Amino acid sequence: MIKYIITGGAGFIGSHLVQALVKKNKKVVVLDNLSTGRLDNIKKYRNNKKFLKCDISKKGKWINEFNSKCYVFHLAALADIVPSIQNPEAYFSSNVNGTFNVLQTAKSAGVKRFIYIASSSCYGIPDQYPTPETTEISPQYPYALTKRLGEELVMHWAKVYKLPALSLRFFNVYGPRQPLKGQYAPVIGLFEEQAKRGEPLTIVGDGEQRRDFTHVNDVVEANMNAMMTNYSGMVVNVGTGVNHSVNEVASYISDNTVNIPERPGEARETLANIKRANNLLDWEPKITLEDYFDPN
Ligand code: NAD
């Protein structure tokens, strides 16, 4: 029977993929060490779902799940910026060694298709907006570098071993189950949580930095389309092609704000060129930030 392996499936984005596939009655296996993911994220989706707590940076029983009837979505990673500067070893272990292990296992099993979730942070501070996939790669911190190294591994395995694989470079993803707490939580979840607690929204720097915010439902659809195409050995941006400043985001939520110091290496702007996603994945985003904050 066909099955879908989702590494990092207990995390924010992975849990939405689990939800979408379970809804379609697909057989799903989640591999996750719960370092940042939560079982709560997927406990509702019981049908046809198996959960294995495992660390992909080490070989273990999880490799037995792979066979020639599998589709693999590889999302498991440590995914914060500042913590990656403080602890690069953990990031290298999960994001690079982990990707190597998942890839080797997928290749040995002869899986049907492999989708790697990469990050737009590989562009660093690009000189072209909207930023196409051909832009120079220039990671500014270990998280970005380790995600890029993972992507290089995947592209190499596609070329050398003919593994049918695509890499999707996500921009800033938001939506239900996004991280809400912690100093480095992504801005939309963090602001919503701060407003709920009656605290001021902590705007980094002057708040005029702009981000291409992409709704998680759109991201899930891009993943599904990527799984169904026959393209391989390519990277594809998954963003909206529109961006908003952090001040604009704050204005949807509260006018109780405070400015805090800027962080190292963060781009002033992110903005995806999504022509390739339009063409290869037959995909375009449907949910705008305005829809999210003001659905009526
Ligand atoms: P998340 O932290 O919610 O999900 C990551 C999941 O991976 C977690 O469930 C975590 O427990 C698991 N994990 C981490 N290390 C592991 C290991 N060694 N073994 C097994 N499981 C492990 O983060 P997310 O935002 O859902 O991100 C999912 C993927 O999307 C990541 O690869 C991230 O780099 C990528 N991405 C996210 C965004 C975004 O805006 N959220 C943007 C670009 C790329």
Side-chain angles (χ1 to χ4, degrees):
M1 188 183 173
I2 299 283
K3 72 175 161 180
Y4 293 78
I5 294 183
I6 307 181
T7 74
F12 159 44
I13 302 170
S15 68
H16 284 270
L17 263 178
V18 173
Q19 178 180 0
L21 288 162
V22 165
K23 245 187 181 166
K24 288 178 189 283
N25 281 322
K26 306 291 186 196
K27 188 175 172 198
V28 172
V29 176
V30 174
L31 308 179
D32 201 303
N33 68 354
L34 301 179
S35 53
T36 56
R38 294 183 306 122
L39 274 181
D40 254 11
N41 283 342
I42 49 172
K43 72 167 187 239
K44 270 203 283 184
Y45 315 115
R46 287 201 183 86
N47 294 350
N48 292 331
K49 187 203 74 200
K50 177 173 174 185
F51 173 77
L52 269 184
K53 185 171 178 202
C54 57
D55 181 349
I56 53 149
S57 68
K58 300 182 183 87
K59 290 223 165 137
K61 284 191 184 135
W62 60 269
I63 66 173
N64 299 331
E65 289 297 328
F66 289 64
N67 63 43
S68 61
K69 294 198 169 115
C70 287
Y71 290 96
V72 181
F73 292 102
H74 176 40
L75 292 93
L78 291 175
D80 282 313
I81 297 174
V82 178
S84 80
I85 300 170
Q86 294 155 344
N87 190 3
E89 198 172 338
Y91 277 71
F92 195 90
S93 177
S94 280
N95 301 1
V96 185
N97 295 336
T99 298
F100 178 82
N101 287 338
V102 175
L103 257 182
Q104 276 287 69
T105 308
K107 184 201 92 181
S108 305
V111 300
K112 285 187 167 302
R113 220 166 150 64
F114 190 101
I115 305 297
Y116 175 72
I117 307 310
S119 166
S120 63
S121 60
C122 65
Y123 299 123
I125 302 167
D127 51 17
Q128 213 181 338
Y129 297 103
T131 307
E133 291 84 350
T134 48
T135 301
E136 191 188 332
I137 298 301
S138 178
Q140 301 291 311
Y141 34 81
Y143 164 66
L145 176 65
T146 56
K147 291 297 294 182
R148 169 60 184 169
L149 292 172
E151 181 178 75
E152 283 206 43
L153 288 172
V154 175
M155 291 301 104
H156 200 71
W157 262 237
K159 186 168 87 177
V160 175
Y161 303 109
K162 309 292 173 226
L163 181 78
L166 280 182
S167 175
L168 306 184
R169 290 180 183 160
F170 289 180
F171 282 63
N172 297 68
V173 186
Y174 69 98
R177 302 198 282 277
Q178 63 202 332
L180 302 174
K181 294 188 194 127
Q183 206 181 343
Y184 307 113
V187 64
I188 294 180
L190 180 67
F191 281 2
E192 287 180 333
E193 185 67 11
Q194 288 172 330
K196 215 159 83 187
R197 292 166 182 232
E199 295 167 4
L201 314 186
T202 48
I203 293 178
V204 173
D206 66 1
E208 282 309 301
Q209 62 276 32
R210 303 182 73 79
R211 295 287 175 266
D212 187 329
F213 294 106
T214 317
H215 194 275
V216 69
N217 290 0
D218 282 328
V219 160
V220 166
E221 201 177 293
N223 274 277
M224 298 298 209
N225 291 8
M227 200 49 98
M228 283 177 318
T229 63
N230 288 321
Y231 294 107
S232 183
M234 300 181 85
V235 299
V236 183
N237 283 342
V238 173
T240 63
V242 175
N243 63 15
H244 296 268
S245 73
V246 169
N247 287 331
E248 279 168 52
V249 172
S251 72
Y252 281 112
I253 301 171
S254 164
D255 44 21
N256 179 15
T257 62
V258 61
N259 293 73
I260 61 171
E262 279 185 37
R263 295 165 187 167
E266 284 195 23
R268 197 67 187 150
E269 188 173 356
T270 66
L271 183 63
N273 175 319
I274 54 169
K275 285 191 189 135
R276 198 178 279 184
N278 296 156
N279 294 335
L280 301 194
L281 307 185
D282 188 22
W283 172 86
E284 55 183 34
K286 298 194 177 77
I287 304 171
T288 65
L289 204 63
E290 291 81 1
D291 296 334
Y292 175 73
F293 284 117
D294 189 9
N296 304 313

